Amino acid sequence: MSYPEPRYFGEHGESSGVLRPAGTAPDLFIGASDADRVHGGTRVGYLATGGSTNGAFGLYRWEMGPDPSGPMPHFHRTITESFYVLSGTVRLHDGTGWKDASAGDFLFVPEGGVHGFRNESGAPASMLLLFTPGAPREGYFEELAEIAASGRRPSEEEWADIYGRHDQYMV
C-alpha cells in the first residue's frame, strides 16, 4: 500500500478547514409526523458530504428514536460503508447475520458486502455512517424523508427504482 497521488500542489498549505460545531441542528429529519420530531424518528447530520470533501468521503451522524427503524440487508456496488456506534444499541448486519452493537463498536463493509442496520432496542441510539468515496447519499436520505413525511407507500417496483438510482441493492 502506498500513498495516493497528490491532489494539492501548493507550497505552504492553506486555511481551508471547515468546523461543524456540536450543537448544529440536524440537516434532515426522517419521520412520519411532527410528533416524531420530538419523540422518535431519525435525525441526520451531514457532517461532511461527498460534495464538501471533493468526493473523498461522506460522513453522517445518524440519530434514531426509540421506534424500530433502519434498512434491511443490502449492498452497494460503488461505495464502502462503515458504522461506528456512538450510543445505545444498534443491530448491525455483517453479511452473516444480525449482531447487537453498542458504543464503540465498528463495522466496515467493502463494496458488494451485504449489510444493514436497525434500531430495535426500544431506546434511542446514534452512530456515524462513513461512505467512501463520497457519493451523493443526501439525495437518497432526502427521498426517504419525503416518502415518510407524505405517508406514501411505494410499490416494490418503485422501491427497486429508488434503490437502483442510489446504488442500493436489496438481498
Side-chain angles (χ1 to χ4, degrees):
M1 168 126 291
S2 62
Y3 281 97
E5 291 296 317
R7 294 172 49 168
Y8 176 77
F9 298 99
E11 290 294 319
H12 303 288
E14 58 186 41
S15 298
S16 54
V18 178
L19 175 66
R20 181 183 171 103
T24 302
D27 296 286
L28 181 65
F29 175 78
I30 302 173
S33 69
D34 287 338
D36 286 337
R37 293 179 189 273
V38 175
H39 302 292
T42 298
R43 292 162 183 78
V44 181
Y46 296 171
L47 304 180
T49 66
S52 70
T53 65
N54 198 27
F57 66 92
L59 181 64
Y60 306 87
R61 183 178 179 111
W62 204 264
E63 299 174 308
M64 297 169 280
D67 296 333
S69 65
M72 297 306 287
H74 62 279
F75 66 95
H76 307 288
R77 297 180 190 280
T78 64
I79 54 177
T80 72
E81 189 167 357
S82 296
F83 305 87
Y84 182 79
V85 179
L86 297 169
S87 67
T89 300
V90 179
R91 298 204 64 177
L92 297 175
H93 195 287
D94 65 359
T96 65
W98 292 99
K99 313 285 189 302
D100 285 339
S102 57
D105 289 341
F106 175 78
L107 172 64
F108 168 74
V109 183
E111 298 92 335
V114 173
H115 63 284
F117 67 87
R118 310 250 333 132
N119 180 11
E120 298 176 346
S121 69
S126 66
M127 64 183 171
L128 295 175
L129 296 178
L130 174 71
F131 296 94
T132 63
R137 296 303 284 167
E138 308 81 40
Y140 174 63
F141 301 153
E142 290 164 11
E143 193 163 355
L144 292 179
E146 289 172 17
I147 291 168
S150 73
R152 183 169 66 91
R153 302 241 187 250
S155 67
E156 285 187 33
E157 295 79 21
E158 289 172 309
W159 276 121
D161 177 63
I162 292 165
Y163 294 148
R165 284 187 281 111
H166 297 286
D167 185 33
Q168 186 155 315
Y169 305 92
M170 304 309 283
V171 294

PDB file of all heavy atoms in Angstrom, residues 21-39:
ATOM      1  N   PRO A  21     -19.803  22.868  14.526  1.00  0.00           N
ATOM      2  CA  PRO A  21     -19.957  22.786  15.989  1.00  0.00           C
ATOM      3  C   PRO A  21     -20.938  21.688  16.403  1.00  0.00           C
ATOM      4  O   PRO A  21     -21.899  21.384  15.688  1.00  0.00           O
ATOM      5  CB  PRO A  21     -20.498  24.163  16.364  1.00  0.00           C
ATOM      6  CG  PRO A  21     -20.082  25.055  15.236  1.00  0.00           C
ATOM      7  CD  PRO A  21     -20.122  24.192  14.014  1.00  0.00           C
ATOM      8  N   ALA A  22     -20.688  21.105  17.564  1.00  0.00           N
ATOM      9  CA  ALA A  22     -21.503  20.001  18.063  1.00  0.00           C
ATOM     10  C   ALA A  22     -22.980  20.351  18.158  1.00  0.00           C
ATOM     11  O   ALA A  22     -23.838  19.506  17.945  1.00  0.00           O
ATOM     12  CB  ALA A  22     -20.985  19.543  19.415  1.00  0.00           C
ATOM     13  N   GLY A  23     -23.319  21.591  18.453  1.00  0.00           N
ATOM     14  CA  GLY A  23     -24.718  21.981  18.628  1.00  0.00           C
ATOM     15  C   GLY A  23     -25.465  22.284  17.343  1.00  0.00           C
ATOM     16  O   GLY A  23     -26.624  22.697  17.389  1.00  0.00           O
ATOM     17  N   THR A  24     -24.850  22.060  16.194  1.00  0.00           N
ATOM     18  CA  THR A  24     -25.505  22.345  14.919  1.00  0.00           C
ATOM     19  C   THR A  24     -26.748  21.463  14.778  1.00  0.00           C
ATOM     20  O   THR A  24     -26.702  20.262  15.039  1.00  0.00           O
ATOM     21  CB  THR A  24     -24.543  22.085  13.742  1.00  0.00           C
ATOM     22  OG1 THR A  24     -23.386  22.892  13.910  1.00  0.00           O
ATOM     23  CG2 THR A  24     -25.200  22.393  12.407  1.00  0.00           C
ATOM     24  N   ALA A  25     -27.856  22.052  14.371  1.00  0.00           N
ATOM     25  CA  ALA A  25     -29.106  21.307  14.208  1.00  0.00           C
ATOM     26  C   ALA A  25     -28.963  20.262  13.097  1.00  0.00           C
ATOM     27  O   ALA A  25     -28.194  20.456  12.151  1.00  0.00           O
ATOM     28  CB  ALA A  25     -30.242  22.270  13.850  1.00  0.00           C
ATOM     29  N   PRO A  26     -29.707  19.150  13.203  1.00  0.00           N
ATOM     30  CA  PRO A  26     -29.664  18.149  12.137  1.00  0.00           C
ATOM     31  C   PRO A  26     -30.068  18.752  10.791  1.00  0.00           C
ATOM     32  O   PRO A  26     -30.876  19.677  10.732  1.00  0.00           O
ATOM     33  CB  PRO A  26     -30.689  17.101  12.582  1.00  0.00           C
ATOM     34  CG  PRO A  26     -30.842  17.315  14.050  1.00  0.00           C
ATOM     35  CD  PRO A  26     -30.605  18.769  14.279  1.00  0.00           C
ATOM     36  N   ASP A  27     -29.506  18.221   9.730  1.00  0.00           N
ATOM     37  CA  ASP A  27     -29.823  18.686   8.381  1.00  0.00           C
ATOM     38  C   ASP A  27     -31.111  18.075   7.851  1.00  0.00           C
ATOM     39  O   ASP A  27     -31.726  18.610   6.937  1.00  0.00           O
ATOM     40  CB  ASP A  27     -28.681  18.327   7.425  1.00  0.00           C
ATOM     41  CG  ASP A  27     -27.413  19.047   7.794  1.00  0.00           C
ATOM     42  OD1 ASP A  27     -27.343  20.253   7.531  1.00  0.00           O
ATOM     43  OD2 ASP A  27     -26.507  18.412   8.374  1.00  0.00           O
ATOM     44  N   LEU A  28     -31.493  16.924   8.396  1.00  0.00           N
ATOM     45  CA  LEU A  28     -32.623  16.186   7.849  1.00  0.00           C
ATOM     46  C   LEU A  28     -33.317  15.435   8.962  1.00  0.00           C
ATOM     47  O   LEU A  28     -32.675  14.933   9.892  1.00  0.00           O
ATOM     48  CB  LEU A  28     -32.111  15.185   6.795  1.00  0.00           C
ATOM     49  CG  LEU A  28     -33.135  14.328   6.087  1.00  0.00           C
ATOM     50  CD1 LEU A  28     -34.058  15.198   5.226  1.00  0.00           C
ATOM     51  CD2 LEU A  28     -32.433  13.301   5.215  1.00  0.00           C
ATOM     52  N   PHE A  29     -34.639  15.334   8.858  1.00  0.00           N
ATOM     53  CA  PHE A  29     -35.436  14.544   9.782  1.00  0.00           C
ATOM     54  C   PHE A  29     -36.208  13.520   8.973  1.00  0.00           C
ATOM     55  O   PHE A  29     -36.833  13.863   7.973  1.00  0.00           O
ATOM     56  CB  PHE A  29     -36.407  15.431  10.566  1.00  0.00           C
ATOM     57  CG  PHE A  29     -37.319  14.618  11.423  1.00  0.00           C
ATOM     58  CD1 PHE A  29     -36.868  14.101  12.623  1.00  0.00           C
ATOM     59  CD2 PHE A  29     -38.599  14.319  11.015  1.00  0.00           C
ATOM     60  CE1 PHE A  29     -37.684  13.303  13.401  1.00  0.00           C
ATOM     61  CE2 PHE A  29     -39.421  13.528  11.785  1.00  0.00           C
ATOM     62  CZ  PHE A  29     -38.966  13.024  12.982  1.00  0.00           C
ATOM     63  N   ILE A  30     -36.140  12.250   9.373  1.00  0.00           N
ATOM     64  CA  ILE A  30     -36.894  11.196   8.697  1.00  0.00           C
ATOM     65  C   ILE A  30     -37.915  10.670   9.689  1.00  0.00           C
ATOM     66  O   ILE A  30     -37.563  10.026  10.675  1.00  0.00           O
ATOM     67  CB  ILE A  30     -35.981  10.056   8.208  1.00  0.00           C
ATOM     68  CG1 ILE A  30     -34.904  10.596   7.267  1.00  0.00           C
ATOM     69  CG2 ILE A  30     -36.800   8.964   7.527  1.00  0.00           C
ATOM     70  CD1 ILE A  30     -33.853   9.580   6.867  1.00  0.00           C
ATOM     71  N   GLY A  31     -39.184  10.978   9.457  1.00  0.00           N
ATOM     72  CA  GLY A  31     -40.263  10.549  10.326  1.00  0.00           C
ATOM     73  C   GLY A  31     -41.586  10.878   9.673  1.00  0.00           C
ATOM     74  O   GLY A  31     -41.642  11.584   8.670  1.00  0.00           O
ATOM     75  N   ALA A  32     -42.638  10.359  10.248  1.00  0.00           N
ATOM     76  CA  ALA A  32     -43.941  10.498   9.614  1.00  0.00           C
ATOM     77  C   ALA A  32     -44.751  11.686  10.104  1.00  0.00           C
ATOM     78  O   ALA A  32     -45.711  12.056   9.463  1.00  0.00           O
ATOM     79  CB  ALA A  32     -44.752   9.213   9.831  1.00  0.00           C
ATOM     80  N   SER A  33     -44.386  12.276  11.229  1.00  0.00           N
ATOM     81  CA  SER A  33     -45.219  13.350  11.759  1.00  0.00           C
ATOM     82  C   SER A  33     -44.387  14.314  12.598  1.00  0.00           C
ATOM     83  O   SER A  33     -43.248  14.024  12.957  1.00  0.00           O
ATOM     84  CB  SER A  33     -46.329  12.767  12.637  1.00  0.00           C
ATOM     85  OG  SER A  33     -45.776  12.234  13.825  1.00  0.00           O
ATOM     86  N   ASP A  34     -44.988  15.456  12.947  1.00  0.00           N
ATOM     87  CA  ASP A  34     -44.312  16.410  13.821  1.00  0.00           C
ATOM     88  C   ASP A  34     -44.024  15.793  15.189  1.00  0.00           C
ATOM     89  O   ASP A  34     -43.010  16.094  15.808  1.00  0.00           O
ATOM     90  CB  ASP A  34     -45.148  17.674  13.987  1.00  0.00           C
ATOM     91  CG  ASP A  34     -45.144  18.530  12.732  1.00  0.00           C
ATOM     92  OD1 ASP A  34     -44.205  18.384  11.920  1.00  0.00           O
ATOM     93  OD2 ASP A  34     -46.069  19.341  12.570  1.00  0.00           O
ATOM     94  N   ALA A  35     -44.911  14.905  15.668  1.00  0.00           N
ATOM     95  CA  ALA A  35     -44.683  14.256  16.960  1.00  0.00           C
ATOM     96  C   ALA A  35     -43.413  13.417  16.924  1.00  0.00           C
ATOM     97  O   ALA A  35     -42.695  13.309  17.921  1.00  0.00           O
ATOM     98  CB  ALA A  35     -45.880  13.382  17.333  1.00  0.00           C
ATOM     99  N   ASP A  36     -43.098  12.819  15.752  1.00  0.00           N
ATOM    100  CA  ASP A  36     -41.880  12.028  15.618  1.00  0.00           C
ATOM    101  C   ASP A  36     -40.638  12.877  15.869  1.00  0.00           C
ATOM    102  O   ASP A  36     -39.620  12.390  16.340  1.00  0.00           O
ATOM    103  CB  ASP A  36     -41.769  11.420  14.217  1.00  0.00           C
ATOM    104  CG  ASP A  36     -42.724  10.264  14.003  1.00  0.00           C
ATOM    105  OD1 ASP A  36     -43.140   9.645  14.993  1.00  0.00           O
ATOM    106  OD2 ASP A  36     -43.058   9.994  12.840  1.00  0.00           O
ATOM    107  N   ARG A  37     -40.715  14.159  15.521  1.00  0.00           N
ATOM    108  CA  ARG A  37     -39.552  15.041  15.702  1.00  0.00           C
ATOM    109  C   ARG A  37     -39.181  15.170  17.174  1.00  0.00           C
ATOM    110  O   ARG A  37     -38.025  15.360  17.512  1.00  0.00           O
ATOM    111  CB  ARG A  37     -39.826  16.418  15.118  1.00  0.00           C
ATOM    112  CG  ARG A  37     -39.970  16.413  13.625  1.00  0.00           C
ATOM    113  CD  ARG A  37     -40.262  17.820  13.106  1.00  0.00           C
ATOM    114  NE  ARG A  37     -40.607  17.784  11.717  1.00  0.00           N
ATOM    115  CZ  ARG A  37     -39.720  17.827  10.722  1.00  0.00           C
ATOM    116  NH1 ARG A  37     -38.449  17.913  10.984  1.00  0.00           N
ATOM    117  NH2 ARG A  37     -40.123  17.790   9.479  1.00  0.00           N
ATOM    118  N   VAL A  38     -40.171  15.043  18.047  1.00  0.00           N
ATOM    119  CA  VAL A  38     -39.932  15.181  19.478  1.00  0.00           C
ATOM    120  C   VAL A  38     -39.627  13.822  20.106  1.00  0.00           C
ATOM    121  O   VAL A  38     -38.711  13.687  20.906  1.00  0.00           O
ATOM    122  CB  VAL A  38     -41.153  15.830  20.174  1.00  0.00           C
ATOM    123  CG1 VAL A  38     -40.963  15.878  21.673  1.00  0.00           C
ATOM    124  CG2 VAL A  38     -41.405  17.213  19.599  1.00  0.00           C
ATOM    125  N   HIS A  39     -40.385  12.793  19.736  1.00  0.00           N
ATOM    126  CA  HIS A  39     -40.318  11.509  20.440  1.00  0.00           C
ATOM    127  C   HIS A  39     -39.646  10.384  19.667  1.00  0.00           C
ATOM    128  O   HIS A  39     -39.357   9.354  20.242  1.00  0.00           O
ATOM    129  CB  HIS A  39     -41.734  11.065  20.824  1.00  0.00           C
ATOM    130  CG  HIS A  39     -42.429  12.058  21.671  1.00  0.00           C
ATOM    131  ND1 HIS A  39     -42.031  12.340  22.965  1.00  0.00           N
ATOM    132  CD2 HIS A  39     -43.475  12.874  21.428  1.00  0.00           C
ATOM    133  CE1 HIS A  39     -42.811  13.261  23.480  1.00  0.00           C
ATOM    134  NE2 HIS A  39     -43.699  13.614  22.571  1.00  0.00           N
TER     135      HIS A  39
END
